[in-house]
Amino acid sequence: MHVLDPAFASAQPVPPGATAADYRRMQGQLGTTRTVVVQARPYGFDNRVVLDAIAQLGADRTRGVAVVHPGISDGALETLHHGGIRGVRFTLYTPTHAPLGFDQVQAVADRIRPWGWHLQLHWTADQVVEHAALLSRLRVPLVFDHLA
């Protein structure tokens, strides 16, 4: 799920009713206890909203998926890992204004492999087919976002 929290700067306005506190109330109604918070496109590389949501929802039952640049430092990856991040998202179903491009998939996969993280691909089916050779070379688990 995504957290859209106006307390964090974003590239686009975010709607109300999508904060970690809102989700916690919904969990109470649904009876769920675990979740994965996925970085939403308006926040780009600023993963603080995901880390904050993990902390609010409970690091013992919440994990996150971040957006990172291939040049991210080892220290920043370690901070994300300790904060509950376990994957990196590529939102390329509409590549315009995407923080990462297809040309960065391999480099990011190589950076996250030592951490045991996955790549989460928010791509179209045509993009998956077009980049099948690239995907077959990756040595990390793949999650096909919005396609399951």
Side-chain angles (χ1 to χ4, degrees), residues 8-14 40-44 46 97:
F8 294 88
S10 66
Q12 306 161 11
V14 296
R41 193 172 188 160
Y43 296 102
D46 183 357
H97 307 298

Side-chain angles (χ1 to χ4, degrees), residues 59-76:
D60 60 327
R61 59 189 171 278
T62 309
R63 291 293 179 251
V65 177
V67 175
V68 302
H69 190 274
I72 189 171
S73 71
D74 291 341

Side-chain angles (χ1 to χ4, degrees), residues 85-135:
I85 300 297
R86 296 298 184 269
V88 172
R89 186 178 200 216
F90 274 81
T91 303
L92 290 167
Y93 68 97
T94 55
T96 305
H97 307 298
L100 295 165
F102 292 104
D103 60 331
Q104 295 169 308
V105 171
Q106 182 72 59
V108 169
D110 292 345
R111 295 288 290 129
I112 68 171
R113 186 173 184 273
W115 296 96
W117 295 3
H118 69 273
L119 280 184
Q120 186 161 324
L121 308 176
H122 189 188
W123 299 5
T124 67
D126 288 342
Q127 289 168 329
V128 171
V129 171
E130 180 183 346
H131 296 281
L134 165 66
L135 297 176

Side-chain angles (χ1 to χ4, degrees), residues 23-35 61:
Y23 185 71
R24 188 179 317 110
R25 282 190 296 277
M26 187 171 71
Q27 277 188 305
Q29 294 170 352
L30 297 174
T32 61
T33 58
R34 301 179 62 83
T35 191
R61 59 189 171 278

